[in-house]
Structures are given as structure tokens and as C-alpha cells.
Amino acid sequence: MNETIRLQILAIRESGVTNMFDIPRVRQEAYSRGFHELVNYLNDHKTEYARFILTGEEDESK
């Protein structure tokens, strides 16, 4: 996860528009905000995304 994606996740979380575990809704919100990096990330990195939401930790190996 790069800094852009992290900031996009945090922006959606701070808005409170959705439960962050509702990935289809997070993806929809990201798309509507023009966060295309996050949309692509969610397609391929659901496990890493969930880990970040639960713990705040990022997978440093990627």
C-alpha cells in the first residue's frame, strides 16, 4: 500500500459514509471521489486492506 492509497482509505473512513468492511460500498465511494488507485487496490488486495482497517498496520513487504 502506498501513501496515496492510505490517504484515500483514511478520507473515506473519516467521512463516515460507510462501514469500512462493506468493500463494495467503499469501492463505490472511492470511484465517485475519483480515487481510482484505491478502486484498483481493493480489487487485488482485500486481505491487506482488511488488516489495515483492523490494525492500522500496512504490509511492508509490498
Side-chain angles (χ1 to χ4, degrees):
M1 170 185 313
N2 65 36
E3 184 68 9
T4 299
I5 293 168
R6 189 180 75 77
L7 291 174
Q8 291 173 353
I9 292 169
L10 295 176
I12 293 174
R13 183 178 74 182
E14 289 172 12
S15 75
V17 297
T18 186
N19 178 325
M20 295 305 288
F21 291 106
D22 183 353
I23 293 177
R25 178 68 176 98
V26 172
R27 187 181 296 115
Q28 178 185 13
E29 185 65 23
Y31 184 80
S32 71
R33 291 176 181 231
F35 294 169
H36 302 291
E37 300 91 349
L38 179 54
V39 172
N40 292 330
Y41 182 82
L42 290 171
N43 289 333
D44 299 326
H45 299 94
K46 290 182 180 92
T47 301
E48 294 90 341
Y49 169 80
R51 180 176 182 211
F52 179 71
I53 295 302
L54 283 171
T55 68
E57 297 175 5
E58 301 174 38
D59 185 358
E60 296 177 11
S61 66
K62 295 190 178 201

